[in-house]
PDB file of all heavy atoms in Angstrom:
ATOM      1  N   GLY A   1     100.882 132.987 115.008  1.00  0.00           N
ATOM      2  CA  GLY A   1      99.603 133.292 115.633  1.00  0.00           C
ATOM      3  C   GLY A   1      99.621 132.931 117.105  1.00  0.00           C
ATOM      4  O   GLY A   1     100.676 132.704 117.696  1.00  0.00           O
ATOM      5  N   ALA A   2      98.452 132.844 117.664  1.00  0.00           N
ATOM      6  CA  ALA A   2      98.321 132.609 119.106  1.00  0.00           C
ATOM      7  C   ALA A   2      98.473 131.124 119.406  1.00  0.00           C
ATOM      8  O   ALA A   2      97.521 130.354 119.328  1.00  0.00           O
ATOM      9  CB  ALA A   2      96.977 133.114 119.596  1.00  0.00           C
ATOM     10  N   ILE A   3      99.703 130.738 119.725  1.00  0.00           N
ATOM     11  CA  ILE A   3      99.998 129.347 120.046  1.00  0.00           C
ATOM     12  C   ILE A   3     100.465 129.275 121.488  1.00  0.00           C
ATOM     13  O   ILE A   3     101.379 129.994 121.885  1.00  0.00           O
ATOM     14  CB  ILE A   3     101.101 128.796 119.123  1.00  0.00           C
ATOM     15  CG1 ILE A   3     100.685 128.923 117.662  1.00  0.00           C
ATOM     16  CG2 ILE A   3     101.406 127.347 119.472  1.00  0.00           C
ATOM     17  CD1 ILE A   3     101.783 128.629 116.687  1.00  0.00           C
ATOM     18  N   THR A   4      99.841 128.387 122.236  1.00  0.00           N
ATOM     19  CA  THR A   4     100.203 128.251 123.642  1.00  0.00           C
ATOM     20  C   THR A   4     101.128 127.056 123.805  1.00  0.00           C
ATOM     21  O   THR A   4     100.725 125.920 123.603  1.00  0.00           O
ATOM     22  CB  THR A   4      98.953 128.060 124.508  1.00  0.00           C
ATOM     23  OG1 THR A   4      98.077 129.171 124.298  1.00  0.00           O
ATOM     24  CG2 THR A   4      99.334 127.969 125.969  1.00  0.00           C
ATOM     25  N   GLY A   5     102.370 127.337 124.150  1.00  0.00           N
ATOM     26  CA  GLY A   5     103.321 126.261 124.416  1.00  0.00           C
ATOM     27  C   GLY A   5     103.738 125.520 123.172  1.00  0.00           C
ATOM     28  O   GLY A   5     103.287 125.801 122.064  1.00  0.00           O
ATOM     29  N   ALA A   6     104.630 124.545 123.387  1.00  0.00           N
ATOM     30  CA  ALA A   6     105.098 123.733 122.272  1.00  0.00           C
ATOM     31  C   ALA A   6     104.031 122.716 121.886  1.00  0.00           C
ATOM     32  O   ALA A   6     103.308 122.208 122.738  1.00  0.00           O
ATOM     33  CB  ALA A   6     106.375 123.012 122.665  1.00  0.00           C
ATOM     34  N   LYS A   7     103.944 122.448 120.610  1.00  0.00           N
ATOM     35  CA  LYS A   7     102.954 121.499 120.107  1.00  0.00           C
ATOM     36  C   LYS A   7     103.662 120.448 119.264  1.00  0.00           C
ATOM     37  O   LYS A   7     104.710 120.716 118.653  1.00  0.00           O
ATOM     38  CB  LYS A   7     101.915 122.220 119.245  1.00  0.00           C
ATOM     39  CG  LYS A   7     101.100 123.263 120.014  1.00  0.00           C
ATOM     40  CD  LYS A   7     100.258 124.100 119.070  1.00  0.00           C
ATOM     41  CE  LYS A   7      99.107 123.334 118.477  1.00  0.00           C
ATOM     42  NZ  LYS A   7      98.053 123.075 119.482  1.00  0.00           N
ATOM     43  N   ALA A   8     103.084 119.275 119.202  1.00  0.00           N
ATOM     44  CA  ALA A   8     103.562 118.293 118.235  1.00  0.00           C
ATOM     45  C   ALA A   8     103.334 118.841 116.835  1.00  0.00           C
ATOM     46  O   ALA A   8     102.319 119.479 116.562  1.00  0.00           O
ATOM     47  CB  ALA A   8     102.809 116.979 118.407  1.00  0.00           C
ATOM     48  N   MET A   9     104.300 118.573 115.954  1.00  0.00           N
ATOM     49  CA  MET A   9     104.178 119.013 114.571  1.00  0.00           C
ATOM     50  C   MET A   9     104.488 117.832 113.663  1.00  0.00           C
ATOM     51  O   MET A   9     105.202 116.904 114.050  1.00  0.00           O
ATOM     52  CB  MET A   9     105.114 120.189 114.284  1.00  0.00           C
ATOM     53  CG  MET A   9     104.810 121.406 115.133  1.00  0.00           C
ATOM     54  SD  MET A   9     105.780 122.851 114.684  1.00  0.00           S
ATOM     55  CE  MET A   9     104.937 123.357 113.169  1.00  0.00           C
ATOM     56  N   ALA A  10     103.966 117.897 112.465  1.00  0.00           N
ATOM     57  CA  ALA A  10     104.134 116.781 111.536  1.00  0.00           C
ATOM     58  C   ALA A  10     104.281 117.299 110.114  1.00  0.00           C
ATOM     59  O   ALA A  10     103.805 118.377 109.776  1.00  0.00           O
ATOM     60  CB  ALA A  10     102.950 115.832 111.614  1.00  0.00           C
ATOM     61  N   TRP A  11     104.938 116.492 109.304  1.00  0.00           N
ATOM     62  CA  TRP A  11     105.039 116.742 107.878  1.00  0.00           C
ATOM     63  C   TRP A  11     104.222 115.696 107.124  1.00  0.00           C
ATOM     64  O   TRP A  11     104.202 114.510 107.506  1.00  0.00           O
ATOM     65  CB  TRP A  11     106.489 116.685 107.412  1.00  0.00           C
ATOM     66  CG  TRP A  11     107.244 117.948 107.692  1.00  0.00           C
ATOM     67  CD1 TRP A  11     108.057 118.197 108.752  1.00  0.00           C
ATOM     68  CD2 TRP A  11     107.244 119.123 106.891  1.00  0.00           C
ATOM     69  NE1 TRP A  11     108.564 119.472 108.666  1.00  0.00           N
ATOM     70  CE2 TRP A  11     108.077 120.059 107.523  1.00  0.00           C
ATOM     71  CE3 TRP A  11     106.626 119.486 105.695  1.00  0.00           C
ATOM     72  CZ2 TRP A  11     108.313 121.331 107.008  1.00  0.00           C
ATOM     73  CZ3 TRP A  11     106.850 120.740 105.183  1.00  0.00           C
ATOM     74  CH2 TRP A  11     107.694 121.658 105.837  1.00  0.00           C
ATOM     75  N   TYR A  12     103.606 116.155 106.057  1.00  0.00           N
ATOM     76  CA  TYR A  12     102.790 115.324 105.193  1.00  0.00           C
ATOM     77  C   TYR A  12     103.165 115.646 103.748  1.00  0.00           C
ATOM     78  O   TYR A  12     103.803 116.660 103.470  1.00  0.00           O
ATOM     79  CB  TYR A  12     101.300 115.655 105.368  1.00  0.00           C
ATOM     80  CG  TYR A  12     100.780 115.604 106.777  1.00  0.00           C
ATOM     81  CD1 TYR A  12     101.052 116.623 107.683  1.00  0.00           C
ATOM     82  CD2 TYR A  12      99.979 114.543 107.206  1.00  0.00           C
ATOM     83  CE1 TYR A  12     100.563 116.590 108.973  1.00  0.00           C
ATOM     84  CE2 TYR A  12      99.474 114.505 108.493  1.00  0.00           C
ATOM     85  CZ  TYR A  12      99.771 115.535 109.362  1.00  0.00           C
ATOM     86  OH  TYR A  12      99.278 115.494 110.642  1.00  0.00           O
ATOM     87  N   ARG A  13     102.696 114.804 102.848  1.00  0.00           N
ATOM     88  CA  ARG A  13     102.820 115.145 101.434  1.00  0.00           C
ATOM     89  C   ARG A  13     101.603 114.634 100.688  1.00  0.00           C
ATOM     90  O   ARG A  13     100.908 113.714 101.136  1.00  0.00           O
ATOM     91  CB  ARG A  13     104.099 114.566 100.821  1.00  0.00           C
ATOM     92  CG  ARG A  13     104.136 113.053 100.730  1.00  0.00           C
ATOM     93  CD  ARG A  13     105.490 112.587 100.229  1.00  0.00           C
ATOM     94  NE  ARG A  13     105.564 111.139 100.140  1.00  0.00           N
ATOM     95  CZ  ARG A  13     106.690 110.477  99.887  1.00  0.00           C
ATOM     96  NH1 ARG A  13     107.837 111.134  99.712  1.00  0.00           N
ATOM     97  NH2 ARG A  13     106.675 109.160  99.817  1.00  0.00           N
ATOM     98  N   GLN A  14     101.371 115.242  99.537  1.00  0.00           N
ATOM     99  CA  GLN A  14     100.216 114.851  98.742  1.00  0.00           C
ATOM    100  C   GLN A  14     100.543 114.937  97.264  1.00  0.00           C
ATOM    101  O   GLN A  14     101.060 115.960  96.787  1.00  0.00           O
ATOM    102  CB  GLN A  14      99.015 115.743  99.059  1.00  0.00           C
ATOM    103  CG  GLN A  14      97.729 115.295  98.407  1.00  0.00           C
ATOM    104  CD  GLN A  14      96.535 116.059  98.927  1.00  0.00           C
ATOM    105  OE1 GLN A  14      96.648 117.196  99.379  1.00  0.00           O
ATOM    106  NE2 GLN A  14      95.366 115.431  98.870  1.00  0.00           N
ATOM    107  N   VAL A  15     100.235 113.875  96.573  1.00  0.00           N
ATOM    108  CA  VAL A  15     100.314 113.831  95.113  1.00  0.00           C
ATOM    109  C   VAL A  15      98.908 114.070  94.591  1.00  0.00           C
ATOM    110  O   VAL A  15      97.954 113.520  95.145  1.00  0.00           O
ATOM    111  CB  VAL A  15     100.850 112.472  94.637  1.00  0.00           C
ATOM    112  CG1 VAL A  15     100.816 112.387  93.115  1.00  0.00           C
ATOM    113  CG2 VAL A  15     102.251 112.230  95.172  1.00  0.00           C
ATOM    114  N   PRO A  16      98.745 114.883  93.564  1.00  0.00           N
ATOM    115  CA  PRO A  16      97.388 115.131  93.030  1.00  0.00           C
ATOM    116  C   PRO A  16      96.641 113.826  92.765  1.00  0.00           C
ATOM    117  O   PRO A  16      97.187 112.896  92.163  1.00  0.00           O
ATOM    118  CB  PRO A  16      97.657 115.902  91.739  1.00  0.00           C
ATOM    119  CG  PRO A  16      98.943 116.607  91.987  1.00  0.00           C
ATOM    120  CD  PRO A  16      99.751 115.665  92.834  1.00  0.00           C
ATOM    121  N   GLY A  17      95.409 113.792  93.271  1.00  0.00           N
ATOM    122  CA  GLY A  17      94.587 112.606  93.081  1.00  0.00           C
ATOM    123  C   GLY A  17      94.716 111.578  94.181  1.00  0.00           C
ATOM    124  O   GLY A  17      93.955 110.605  94.217  1.00  0.00           O
ATOM    125  N   ASN A  18      95.685 111.781  95.066  1.00  0.00           N
ATOM    126  CA  ASN A  18      95.896 110.845  96.178  1.00  0.00           C
ATOM    127  C   ASN A  18      95.585 111.517  97.509  1.00  0.00           C
ATOM    128  O   ASN A  18      95.547 112.744  97.615  1.00  0.00           O
ATOM    129  CB  ASN A  18      97.350 110.356  96.196  1.00  0.00           C
ATOM    130  CG  ASN A  18      97.663 109.430  95.049  1.00  0.00           C
ATOM    131  OD1 ASN A  18      96.816 109.167  94.198  1.00  0.00           O
ATOM    132  ND2 ASN A  18      98.884 108.939  95.021  1.00  0.00           N
ATOM    133  N   ASP A  19      95.406 110.691  98.549  1.00  0.00           N
ATOM    134  CA  ASP A  19      95.222 111.225  99.888  1.00  0.00           C
ATOM    135  C   ASP A  19      96.529 111.820 100.399  1.00  0.00           C
ATOM    136  O   ASP A  19      97.616 111.433  99.970  1.00  0.00           O
ATOM    137  CB  ASP A  19      94.777 110.116 100.843  1.00  0.00           C
ATOM    138  CG  ASP A  19      93.374 109.629 100.530  1.00  0.00           C
ATOM    139  OD1 ASP A  19      92.594 110.394  99.929  1.00  0.00           O
ATOM    140  OD2 ASP A  19      93.066 108.483 100.906  1.00  0.00           O
ATOM    141  N   ARG A  20      96.383 112.739 101.339  1.00  0.00           N
ATOM    142  CA  ARG A  20      97.557 113.302 101.995  1.00  0.00           C
ATOM    143  C   ARG A  20      98.202 112.211 102.853  1.00  0.00           C
ATOM    144  O   ARG A  20      97.517 111.482 103.558  1.00  0.00           O
ATOM    145  CB  ARG A  20      97.162 114.506 102.828  1.00  0.00           C
ATOM    146  CG  ARG A  20      98.301 115.364 103.291  1.00  0.00           C
ATOM    147  CD  ARG A  20      97.785 116.655 103.884  1.00  0.00           C
ATOM    148  NE  ARG A  20      97.483 117.653 102.869  1.00  0.00           N
ATOM    149  CZ  ARG A  20      96.301 118.253 102.719  1.00  0.00           C
ATOM    150  NH1 ARG A  20      95.314 117.954 103.524  1.00  0.00           N
ATOM    151  NH2 ARG A  20      96.117 119.160 101.778  1.00  0.00           N
ATOM    152  N   GLU A  21      99.523 112.108 102.797  1.00  0.00           N
ATOM    153  CA  GLU A  21     100.280 111.037 103.452  1.00  0.00           C
ATOM    154  C   GLU A  21     101.117 111.609 104.593  1.00  0.00           C
ATOM    155  O   GLU A  21     101.899 112.546 104.388  1.00  0.00           O
ATOM    156  CB  GLU A  21     101.198 110.380 102.412  1.00  0.00           C
ATOM    157  CG  GLU A  21     102.155 109.343 102.946  1.00  0.00           C
ATOM    158  CD  GLU A  21     103.125 108.855 101.881  1.00  0.00           C
ATOM    159  OE1 GLU A  21     103.362 109.567 100.886  1.00  0.00           O
ATOM    160  OE2 GLU A  21     103.680 107.754 102.053  1.00  0.00           O
ATOM    161  N   LEU A  22     100.965 111.027 105.767  1.00  0.00           N
ATOM    162  CA  LEU A  22     101.768 111.432 106.917  1.00  0.00           C
ATOM    163  C   LEU A  22     103.183 110.888 106.763  1.00  0.00           C
ATOM    164  O   LEU A  22     103.366 109.704 106.478  1.00  0.00           O
ATOM    165  CB  LEU A  22     101.146 110.914 108.206  1.00  0.00           C
ATOM    166  CG  LEU A  22     101.934 111.130 109.488  1.00  0.00           C
ATOM    167  CD1 LEU A  22     102.085 112.611 109.799  1.00  0.00           C
ATOM    168  CD2 LEU A  22     101.268 110.396 110.652  1.00  0.00           C
ATOM    169  N   LEU A  23     104.174 111.734 106.988  1.00  0.00           N
ATOM    170  CA  LEU A  23     105.569 111.313 106.852  1.00  0.00           C
ATOM    171  C   LEU A  23     106.292 111.206 108.194  1.00  0.00           C
ATOM    172  O   LEU A  23     107.016 110.243 108.439  1.00  0.00           O
ATOM    173  CB  LEU A  23     106.331 112.299 105.976  1.00  0.00           C
ATOM    174  CG  LEU A  23     105.924 112.381 104.518  1.00  0.00           C
ATOM    175  CD1 LEU A  23     106.628 113.538 103.841  1.00  0.00           C
ATOM    176  CD2 LEU A  23     106.221 111.073 103.807  1.00  0.00           C
ATOM    177  N   ALA A  24     106.135 112.222 109.025  1.00  0.00           N
ATOM    178  CA  ALA A  24     106.929 112.259 110.255  1.00  0.00           C
ATOM    179  C   ALA A  24     106.265 113.166 111.273  1.00  0.00           C
ATOM    180  O   ALA A  24     105.610 114.145 110.908  1.00  0.00           O
ATOM    181  CB  ALA A  24     108.341 112.772 109.953  1.00  0.00           C
ATOM    182  N   ILE A  25     106.443 112.815 112.546  1.00  0.00           N
ATOM    183  CA  ILE A  25     105.912 113.592 113.660  1.00  0.00           C
ATOM    184  C   ILE A  25     107.041 113.871 114.635  1.00  0.00           C
ATOM    185  O   ILE A  25     107.860 112.984 114.926  1.00  0.00           O
ATOM    186  CB  ILE A  25     104.793 112.828 114.402  1.00  0.00           C
ATOM    187  CG1 ILE A  25     103.609 112.568 113.478  1.00  0.00           C
ATOM    188  CG2 ILE A  25     104.328 113.599 115.636  1.00  0.00           C
ATOM    189  CD1 ILE A  25     102.543 111.658 114.098  1.00  0.00           C
ATOM    190  N   ILE A  26     107.062 115.092 115.150  1.00  0.00           N
ATOM    191  CA  ILE A  26     107.903 115.416 116.296  1.00  0.00           C
ATOM    192  C   ILE A  26     106.966 115.829 117.424  1.00  0.00           C
ATOM    193  O   ILE A  26     106.168 116.748 117.278  1.00  0.00           O
ATOM    194  CB  ILE A  26     108.955 116.504 115.967  1.00  0.00           C
ATOM    195  CG1 ILE A  26     109.856 116.760 117.169  1.00  0.00           C
ATOM    196  CG2 ILE A  26     108.322 117.781 115.445  1.00  0.00           C
ATOM    197  CD1 ILE A  26     111.127 117.538 116.815  1.00  0.00           C
ATOM    198  N   SER A  27     107.049 115.118 118.538  1.00  0.00           N
ATOM    199  CA  SER A  27     106.109 115.332 119.625  1.00  0.00           C
ATOM    200  C   SER A  27     106.479 116.582 120.428  1.00  0.00           C
ATOM    201  O   SER A  27     107.530 117.198 120.208  1.00  0.00           O
ATOM    202  CB  SER A  27     106.090 114.115 120.543  1.00  0.00           C
ATOM    203  OG  SER A  27     107.262 114.099 121.356  1.00  0.00           O
ATOM    204  N   ARG A  28     105.631 116.911 121.403  1.00  0.00           N
ATOM    205  CA  ARG A  28     105.929 118.054 122.276  1.00  0.00           C
ATOM    206  C   ARG A  28     107.247 117.865 123.002  1.00  0.00           C
ATOM    207  O   ARG A  28     107.921 118.838 123.350  1.00  0.00           O
ATOM    208  CB  ARG A  28     104.807 118.249 123.292  1.00  0.00           C
ATOM    209  CG  ARG A  28     103.504 118.747 122.711  1.00  0.00           C
ATOM    210  CD  ARG A  28     102.533 119.149 123.827  1.00  0.00           C
ATOM    211  NE  ARG A  28     102.281 118.068 124.748  1.00  0.00           N
ATOM    212  CZ  ARG A  28     102.700 118.041 126.004  1.00  0.00           C
ATOM    213  NH1 ARG A  28     103.402 119.046 126.502  1.00  0.00           N
ATOM    214  NH2 ARG A  28     102.405 117.021 126.782  1.00  0.00           N
ATOM    215  N   THR A  29     107.592 116.613 123.260  1.00  0.00           N
ATOM    216  CA  THR A  29     108.840 116.316 123.963  1.00  0.00           C
ATOM    217  C   THR A  29     109.937 115.883 123.005  1.00  0.00           C
ATOM    218  O   THR A  29     110.926 115.278 123.410  1.00  0.00           O
ATOM    219  CB  THR A  29     108.606 115.227 125.018  1.00  0.00           C
ATOM    220  OG1 THR A  29     108.057 114.077 124.360  1.00  0.00           O
ATOM    221  CG2 THR A  29     107.648 115.715 126.097  1.00  0.00           C
ATOM    222  N   ASP A  30     109.721 116.147 121.721  1.00  0.00           N
ATOM    223  CA  ASP A  30     110.713 115.901 120.664  1.00  0.00           C
ATOM    224  C   ASP A  30     110.956 114.424 120.386  1.00  0.00           C
ATOM    225  O   ASP A  30     112.007 114.057 119.853  1.00  0.00           O
ATOM    226  CB  ASP A  30     112.026 116.628 120.947  1.00  0.00           C
ATOM    227  CG  ASP A  30     111.884 118.135 120.862  1.00  0.00           C
ATOM    228  OD1 ASP A  30     110.828 118.604 120.377  1.00  0.00           O
ATOM    229  OD2 ASP A  30     112.806 118.856 121.282  1.00  0.00           O
ATOM    230  N   THR A  31     109.999 113.585 120.734  1.00  0.00           N
ATOM    231  CA  THR A  31     110.046 112.198 120.275  1.00  0.00           C
ATOM    232  C   THR A  31     109.715 112.175 118.785  1.00  0.00           C
ATOM    233  O   THR A  31     108.786 112.851 118.345  1.00  0.00           O
ATOM    234  CB  THR A  31     109.039 111.341 121.049  1.00  0.00           C
ATOM    235  OG1 THR A  31     109.384 111.362 122.432  1.00  0.00           O
ATOM    236  CG2 THR A  31     109.032 109.914 120.543  1.00  0.00           C
ATOM    237  N   LEU A  32     110.476 111.391 118.031  1.00  0.00           N
ATOM    238  CA  LEU A  32     110.324 111.359 116.576  1.00  0.00           C
ATOM    239  C   LEU A  32     109.648 110.066 116.142  1.00  0.00           C
ATOM    240  O   LEU A  32     109.981 108.981 116.642  1.00  0.00           O
ATOM    241  CB  LEU A  32     111.690 111.469 115.904  1.00  0.00           C
ATOM    242  CG  LEU A  32     112.583 112.633 116.349  1.00  0.00           C
ATOM    243  CD1 LEU A  32     113.891 112.619 115.570  1.00  0.00           C
ATOM    244  CD2 LEU A  32     111.871 113.951 116.192  1.00  0.00           C
ATOM    245  N   THR A  33     108.735 110.180 115.194  1.00  0.00           N
ATOM    246  CA  THR A  33     108.049 109.035 114.615  1.00  0.00           C
ATOM    247  C   THR A  33     108.028 109.215 113.105  1.00  0.00           C
ATOM    248  O   THR A  33     107.724 110.308 112.626  1.00  0.00           O
ATOM    249  CB  THR A  33     106.604 108.930 115.133  1.00  0.00           C
ATOM    250  OG1 THR A  33     106.612 108.887 116.555  1.00  0.00           O
ATOM    251  CG2 THR A  33     105.933 107.671 114.602  1.00  0.00           C
ATOM    252  N   TYR A  34     108.352 108.129 112.389  1.00  0.00           N
ATOM    253  CA  TYR A  34     108.416 108.203 110.933  1.00  0.00           C
ATOM    254  C   TYR A  34     107.532 107.147 110.293  1.00  0.00           C
ATOM    255  O   TYR A  34     107.449 106.007 110.758  1.00  0.00           O
ATOM    256  CB  TYR A  34     109.852 107.982 110.450  1.00  0.00           C
ATOM    257  CG  TYR A  34     110.801 109.071 110.864  1.00  0.00           C
ATOM    258  CD1 TYR A  34     111.607 108.932 111.988  1.00  0.00           C
ATOM    259  CD2 TYR A  34     110.892 110.241 110.124  1.00  0.00           C
ATOM    260  CE1 TYR A  34     112.474 109.941 112.371  1.00  0.00           C
ATOM    261  CE2 TYR A  34     111.765 111.248 110.498  1.00  0.00           C
ATOM    262  CZ  TYR A  34     112.547 111.094 111.617  1.00  0.00           C
ATOM    263  OH  TYR A  34     113.414 112.090 111.986  1.00  0.00           O
TER     264      TYR A  34
END
């Protein structure tokens, strides 16, 4: 779709009945956080 420039992206996971859990982020400048 209409995306302007690079954006930070992240992965999450969810088990039924639980909150969605953040796993990892890659920033606009490719800095990684886990």
